[in-house]
PDB file of all heavy atoms in Angstrom:
ATOM      1  N   ALA T   1       0.807  -1.195  -0.006  1.00 52.00           N
ATOM      2  CA  ALA T   1      -0.017   0.027  -0.018  1.00 52.00           C
ATOM      3  C   ALA T   1       0.887   1.259   0.024  1.00 52.00           C
ATOM      4  O   ALA T   1       0.481   2.298  -0.513  1.00 52.00           O
ATOM      5  CB  ALA T   1      -0.955  -0.046   1.188  1.00 52.00           C
ATOM      6  N   ALA T   2       2.099   1.180   0.555  1.00 57.00           N
ATOM      7  CA  ALA T   2       2.962   2.388   0.628  1.00 57.00           C
ATOM      8  C   ALA T   2       3.522   2.601  -0.782  1.00 57.00           C
ATOM      9  O   ALA T   2       3.796   3.730  -1.183  1.00 57.00           O
ATOM     10  CB  ALA T   2       4.058   2.162   1.603  1.00 57.00           C
ATOM     11  N   GLU T   3       3.749   1.540  -1.572  1.00 62.00           N
ATOM     12  CA  GLU T   3       4.370   1.684  -2.889  1.00 62.00           C
ATOM     13  C   GLU T   3       3.405   2.277  -3.851  1.00 62.00           C
ATOM     14  O   GLU T   3       3.844   3.114  -4.675  1.00 62.00           O
ATOM     15  CB  GLU T   3       4.879   0.316  -3.361  1.00 62.00           C
ATOM     16  CG  GLU T   3       5.921  -0.277  -2.494  1.00 62.00           C
ATOM     17  CD  GLU T   3       6.182  -1.719  -2.880  1.00 62.00           C
ATOM     18  OE1 GLU T   3       5.690  -2.150  -3.905  1.00 62.00           O
ATOM     19  OE2 GLU T   3       6.954  -2.403  -2.112  1.00 62.00           O
ATOM     20  N   LEU T   4       2.155   1.888  -3.831  1.00 64.00           N
ATOM     21  CA  LEU T   4       1.184   2.369  -4.830  1.00 64.00           C
ATOM     22  C   LEU T   4      -0.006   2.938  -4.107  1.00 64.00           C
ATOM     23  O   LEU T   4      -1.103   2.275  -3.946  1.00 64.00           O
ATOM     24  CB  LEU T   4       0.688   1.251  -5.762  1.00 64.00           C
ATOM     25  CG  LEU T   4       1.775   0.587  -6.604  1.00 64.00           C
ATOM     26  CD1 LEU T   4       1.251  -0.647  -7.324  1.00 64.00           C
ATOM     27  CD2 LEU T   4       2.288   1.556  -7.597  1.00 64.00           C
ATOM     28  N   PRO T   5       0.008   4.205  -3.615  1.00 67.00           N
ATOM     29  CA  PRO T   5      -1.093   4.761  -2.946  1.00 67.00           C
ATOM     30  C   PRO T   5      -2.272   4.932  -3.928  1.00 67.00           C
ATOM     31  O   PRO T   5      -2.092   5.326  -5.077  1.00 67.00           O
ATOM     32  CB  PRO T   5      -0.610   6.102  -2.433  1.00 67.00           C
ATOM     33  CG  PRO T   5       0.539   6.394  -3.255  1.00 67.00           C
ATOM     34  CD  PRO T   5       1.087   5.109  -3.707  1.00 67.00           C
ATOM     35  N   GLY T   6      -3.435   4.544  -3.484  1.00 71.00           N
ATOM     36  CA  GLY T   6      -4.624   4.636  -4.373  1.00 71.00           C
ATOM     37  C   GLY T   6      -4.912   3.373  -5.099  1.00 71.00           C
ATOM     38  O   GLY T   6      -5.945   3.262  -5.809  1.00 71.00           O
ATOM     39  N   PHE T   7      -4.023   2.376  -5.040  1.00 71.00           N
ATOM     40  CA  PHE T   7      -4.238   1.136  -5.802  1.00 71.00           C
ATOM     41  C   PHE T   7      -4.372  -0.022  -4.791  1.00 71.00           C
ATOM     42  O   PHE T   7      -4.086  -1.180  -5.109  1.00 71.00           O
ATOM     43  CB  PHE T   7      -3.079   0.773  -6.700  1.00 71.00           C
ATOM     44  CG  PHE T   7      -3.033   1.703  -7.851  1.00 71.00           C
ATOM     45  CD1 PHE T   7      -2.246   2.846  -7.937  1.00 71.00           C
ATOM     46  CD2 PHE T   7      -3.855   1.477  -8.947  1.00 71.00           C
ATOM     47  CE1 PHE T   7      -2.212   3.697  -9.000  1.00 71.00           C
ATOM     48  CE2 PHE T   7      -3.819   2.292 -10.026  1.00 71.00           C
ATOM     49  CZ  PHE T   7      -3.031   3.407 -10.073  1.00 71.00           C
ATOM     50  N   ALA T   8      -4.832   0.196  -3.533  1.00 76.00           N
ATOM     51  CA  ALA T   8      -5.014  -0.834  -2.600  1.00 76.00           C
ATOM     52  C   ALA T   8      -6.333  -1.606  -3.038  1.00 76.00           C
ATOM     53  O   ALA T   8      -7.251  -1.183  -3.629  1.00 76.00           O
ATOM     54  CB  ALA T   8      -5.266  -0.272  -1.229  1.00 76.00           C
ATOM     55  N   VAL T   9      -6.322  -2.971  -2.739  1.00 75.00           N
ATOM     56  CA  VAL T   9      -7.434  -3.783  -3.069  1.00 75.00           C
ATOM     57  C   VAL T   9      -8.527  -3.729  -2.012  1.00 75.00           C
ATOM     58  O   VAL T   9      -8.173  -3.837  -0.754  1.00 75.00           O
ATOM     59  CB  VAL T   9      -6.922  -5.281  -3.213  1.00 75.00           C
ATOM     60  CG1 VAL T   9      -8.102  -6.214  -3.426  1.00 75.00           C
ATOM     61  CG2 VAL T   9      -5.897  -5.376  -4.243  1.00 75.00           C
ATOM     62  N   ASP T  10      -9.689  -3.417  -2.428  1.00 81.00           N
ATOM     63  CA  ASP T  10     -10.792  -3.317  -1.466  1.00 81.00           C
ATOM     64  C   ASP T  10     -11.422  -4.640  -1.417  1.00 81.00           C
ATOM     65  O   ASP T  10     -12.225  -5.108  -2.309  1.00 81.00           O
ATOM     66  CB  ASP T  10     -11.803  -2.262  -1.975  1.00 81.00           C
ATOM     67  CG  ASP T  10     -12.965  -2.069  -0.981  1.00 81.00           C
ATOM     68  OD1 ASP T  10     -12.844  -2.574   0.117  1.00 81.00           O
ATOM     69  OD2 ASP T  10     -13.868  -1.351  -1.390  1.00 81.00           O
ATOM     70  N   LYS T  11     -11.183  -5.453  -0.378  1.00 85.00           N
ATOM     71  CA  LYS T  11     -11.633  -6.818  -0.266  1.00 85.00           C
ATOM     72  C   LYS T  11     -13.219  -6.840  -0.041  1.00 85.00           C
ATOM     73  O   LYS T  11     -13.837  -7.835  -0.411  1.00 85.00           O
ATOM     74  CB  LYS T  11     -10.905  -7.567   0.870  1.00 85.00           C
ATOM     75  CG  LYS T  11      -9.560  -7.715   0.546  1.00 85.00           C
ATOM     76  CD  LYS T  11      -8.751  -8.423   1.664  1.00 85.00           C
ATOM     77  CE  LYS T  11      -7.297  -8.476   1.248  1.00 85.00           C
ATOM     78  NZ  LYS T  11      -6.456  -8.924   2.304  1.00 85.00           N
ATOM     79  N   THR T  12     -13.750  -5.803   0.541  1.00 90.00           N
ATOM     80  CA  THR T  12     -15.240  -5.775   0.640  1.00 90.00           C
ATOM     81  C   THR T  12     -15.915  -5.628  -0.690  1.00 90.00           C
ATOM     82  O   THR T  12     -16.946  -6.152  -0.818  1.00 90.00           O
ATOM     83  CB  THR T  12     -15.606  -4.639   1.652  1.00 90.00           C
ATOM     84  OG1 THR T  12     -15.156  -3.388   1.129  1.00 90.00           O
ATOM     85  CG2 THR T  12     -15.069  -4.870   3.037  1.00 90.00           C
ATOM     86  N   PHE T  13     -15.273  -4.951  -1.620  1.00 87.00           N
ATOM     87  CA  PHE T  13     -15.860  -4.748  -2.951  1.00 87.00           C
ATOM     88  C   PHE T  13     -15.936  -6.153  -3.638  1.00 87.00           C
ATOM     89  O   PHE T  13     -16.918  -6.527  -4.249  1.00 87.00           O
ATOM     90  CB  PHE T  13     -15.069  -3.803  -3.830  1.00 87.00           C
ATOM     91  CG  PHE T  13     -15.562  -3.706  -5.232  1.00 87.00           C
ATOM     92  CD1 PHE T  13     -16.783  -3.133  -5.564  1.00 87.00           C
ATOM     93  CD2 PHE T  13     -14.796  -4.314  -6.212  1.00 87.00           C
ATOM     94  CE1 PHE T  13     -17.180  -3.154  -6.864  1.00 87.00           C
ATOM     95  CE2 PHE T  13     -15.186  -4.240  -7.553  1.00 87.00           C
ATOM     96  CZ  PHE T  13     -16.367  -3.680  -7.846  1.00 87.00           C
ATOM     97  N   PHE T  14     -14.827  -6.919  -3.605  1.00 85.00           N
ATOM     98  CA  PHE T  14     -14.755  -8.195  -4.299  1.00 85.00           C
ATOM     99  C   PHE T  14     -15.696  -9.219  -3.717  1.00 85.00           C
ATOM    100  O   PHE T  14     -16.063 -10.182  -4.341  1.00 85.00           O
ATOM    101  CB  PHE T  14     -13.336  -8.711  -4.381  1.00 85.00           C
ATOM    102  CG  PHE T  14     -12.567  -7.906  -5.402  1.00 85.00           C
ATOM    103  CD1 PHE T  14     -11.371  -7.285  -4.961  1.00 85.00           C
ATOM    104  CD2 PHE T  14     -12.874  -7.932  -6.640  1.00 85.00           C
ATOM    105  CE1 PHE T  14     -10.647  -6.539  -5.898  1.00 85.00           C
ATOM    106  CE2 PHE T  14     -12.120  -7.253  -7.640  1.00 85.00           C
ATOM    107  CZ  PHE T  14     -11.017  -6.626  -7.189  1.00 85.00           C
ATOM    108  N   SER T  15     -16.083  -9.038  -2.442  1.00 90.00           N
ATOM    109  CA  SER T  15     -17.045  -9.957  -1.816  1.00 90.00           C
ATOM    110  C   SER T  15     -18.453  -9.504  -2.018  1.00 90.00           C
ATOM    111  O   SER T  15     -19.402 -10.240  -1.689  1.00 90.00           O
ATOM    112  CB  SER T  15     -16.702 -10.204  -0.340  1.00 90.00           C
ATOM    113  OG  SER T  15     -16.833  -8.946   0.325  1.00 90.00           O
ATOM    114  N   SER T  16     -18.643  -8.324  -2.529  1.00 93.00           N
ATOM    115  CA  SER T  16     -20.032  -7.830  -2.794  1.00 93.00           C
ATOM    116  C   SER T  16     -20.532  -8.369  -4.117  1.00 93.00           C
ATOM    117  O   SER T  16     -19.833  -8.985  -4.845  1.00 93.00           O
ATOM    118  CB  SER T  16     -20.073  -6.293  -2.843  1.00 93.00           C
ATOM    119  OG  SER T  16     -19.375  -5.857  -3.953  1.00 93.00           O
ATOM    120  N   LEU T  17     -21.798  -8.189  -4.329  1.00 94.00           N
ATOM    121  CA  LEU T  17     -22.411  -8.653  -5.568  1.00 94.00           C
ATOM    122  C   LEU T  17     -21.796  -8.089  -6.847  1.00 94.00           C
ATOM    123  O   LEU T  17     -21.523  -8.726  -7.761  1.00 94.00           O
ATOM    124  CB  LEU T  17     -23.942  -8.320  -5.601  1.00 94.00           C
ATOM    125  CG  LEU T  17     -24.691  -8.809  -6.863  1.00 94.00           C
ATOM    126  CD1 LEU T  17     -24.670 -10.359  -6.920  1.00 94.00           C
ATOM    127  CD2 LEU T  17     -26.162  -8.367  -6.778  1.00 94.00           C
ATOM    128  N   LYS T  18     -21.518  -6.748  -6.827  1.00 92.00           N
ATOM    129  CA  LYS T  18     -20.896  -6.089  -7.989  1.00 92.00           C
ATOM    130  C   LYS T  18     -19.485  -6.653  -8.218  1.00 92.00           C
ATOM    131  O   LYS T  18     -19.018  -6.797  -9.317  1.00 92.00           O
ATOM    132  CB  LYS T  18     -20.852  -4.594  -7.825  1.00 92.00           C
ATOM    133  CG  LYS T  18     -22.130  -3.919  -7.896  1.00 92.00           C
ATOM    134  CD  LYS T  18     -22.082  -2.427  -7.823  1.00 92.00           C
ATOM    135  CE  LYS T  18     -23.300  -1.703  -7.922  1.00 92.00           C
ATOM    136  NZ  LYS T  18     -23.174  -0.234  -7.850  1.00 92.00           N
ATOM    137  N   GLY T  19     -18.758  -6.867  -7.179  1.00 91.00           N
ATOM    138  CA  GLY T  19     -17.446  -7.382  -7.301  1.00 91.00           C
ATOM    139  C   GLY T  19     -17.361  -8.810  -7.886  1.00 91.00           C
ATOM    140  O   GLY T  19     -16.602  -9.148  -8.745  1.00 91.00           O
ATOM    141  N   ILE T  20     -18.342  -9.614  -7.464  1.00 92.00           N
ATOM    142  CA  ILE T  20     -18.434 -10.959  -7.966  1.00 92.00           C
ATOM    143  C   ILE T  20     -18.842 -10.964  -9.384  1.00 92.00           C
ATOM    144  O   ILE T  20     -18.283 -11.687 -10.227  1.00 92.00           O
ATOM    145  CB  ILE T  20     -19.429 -11.829  -7.111  1.00 92.00           C
ATOM    146  CG1 ILE T  20     -18.892 -12.039  -5.697  1.00 92.00           C
ATOM    147  CG2 ILE T  20     -19.757 -13.192  -7.731  1.00 92.00           C
ATOM    148  CD1 ILE T  20     -19.860 -12.596  -4.698  1.00 92.00           C
ATOM    149  N   LEU T  21     -19.664 -10.067  -9.793  1.00 94.00           N
ATOM    150  CA  LEU T  21     -20.104  -9.996 -11.181  1.00 94.00           C
ATOM    151  C   LEU T  21     -18.924  -9.488 -12.023  1.00 94.00           C
ATOM    152  O   LEU T  21     -18.720  -9.973 -13.203  1.00 94.00           O
ATOM    153  CB  LEU T  21     -21.268  -9.029 -11.292  1.00 94.00           C
ATOM    154  CG  LEU T  21     -22.623  -9.565 -10.814  1.00 94.00           C
ATOM    155  CD1 LEU T  21     -23.655  -8.457 -10.933  1.00 94.00           C
ATOM    156  CD2 LEU T  21     -23.065 -10.797 -11.630  1.00 94.00           C
ATOM    157  N   LEU T  22     -18.105  -8.558 -11.495  1.00 92.00           N
ATOM    158  CA  LEU T  22     -16.998  -8.073 -12.199  1.00 92.00           C
ATOM    159  C   LEU T  22     -16.001  -9.212 -12.466  1.00 92.00           C
ATOM    160  O   LEU T  22     -15.359  -9.349 -13.509  1.00 92.00           O
ATOM    161  CB  LEU T  22     -16.343  -6.930 -11.439  1.00 92.00           C
ATOM    162  CG  LEU T  22     -15.049  -6.383 -12.119  1.00 92.00           C
ATOM    163  CD1 LEU T  22     -15.284  -5.753 -13.434  1.00 92.00           C
ATOM    164  CD2 LEU T  22     -14.372  -5.400 -11.131  1.00 92.00           C
ATOM    165  N   GLU T  23     -15.666  -9.949 -11.381  1.00 92.00           N
ATOM    166  CA  GLU T  23     -14.798 -11.099 -11.490  1.00 92.00           C
ATOM    167  C   GLU T  23     -15.284 -12.116 -12.546  1.00 92.00           C
ATOM    168  O   GLU T  23     -14.444 -12.638 -13.405  1.00 92.00           O
ATOM    169  CB  GLU T  23     -14.592 -11.805 -10.195  1.00 92.00           C
ATOM    170  CG  GLU T  23     -13.901 -10.938  -9.123  1.00 92.00           C
ATOM    171  CD  GLU T  23     -13.921 -11.507  -7.709  1.00 92.00           C
ATOM    172  OE1 GLU T  23     -14.162 -12.759  -7.645  1.00 92.00           O
ATOM    173  OE2 GLU T  23     -13.723 -10.821  -6.790  1.00 92.00           O
ATOM    174  N   THR T  24     -16.560 -12.404 -12.569  1.00 94.00           N
ATOM    175  CA  THR T  24     -17.139 -13.366 -13.501  1.00 94.00           C
ATOM    176  C   THR T  24     -17.028 -12.867 -14.876  1.00 94.00           C
ATOM    177  O   THR T  24     -16.674 -13.594 -15.854  1.00 94.00           O
ATOM    178  CB  THR T  24     -18.583 -13.665 -13.128  1.00 94.00           C
ATOM    179  OG1 THR T  24     -18.625 -14.106 -11.742  1.00 94.00           O
ATOM    180  CG2 THR T  24     -19.192 -14.701 -13.997  1.00 94.00           C
ATOM    181  N   GLU T  25     -17.270 -11.479 -15.041  1.00 95.00           N
ATOM    182  CA  GLU T  25     -17.217 -10.903 -16.433  1.00 95.00           C
ATOM    183  C   GLU T  25     -15.800 -10.955 -16.883  1.00 95.00           C
ATOM    184  O   GLU T  25     -15.597 -11.267 -18.099  1.00 95.00           O
ATOM    185  CB  GLU T  25     -17.660  -9.492 -16.343  1.00 95.00           C
ATOM    186  CG  GLU T  25     -17.763  -8.761 -17.641  1.00 95.00           C
ATOM    187  CD  GLU T  25     -18.220  -7.333 -17.504  1.00 95.00           C
ATOM    188  OE1 GLU T  25     -18.754  -6.951 -16.454  1.00 95.00           O
ATOM    189  OE2 GLU T  25     -18.098  -6.633 -18.451  1.00 95.00           O
TER     190      GLU T  25
END
């Protein structure tokens, strides 16, 4: 996170419905 500020992975997004749909797409 210190190396790339603003590019941290939001784990709650990927576990949400929109995140799952994005991964599937």
Side-chain angles (χ1 to χ4, degrees):
E3 297 170 10
L4 298 172
F7 288 98
V9 175
D10 184 11
K11 294 178 183 171
T12 57
F13 172 74
F14 286 118
S15 62
S16 70
L17 180 63
K18 287 184 180 181
I20 293 170
L21 289 174
L22 176 66
E23 293 170 17
T24 305
E25 182 180 350

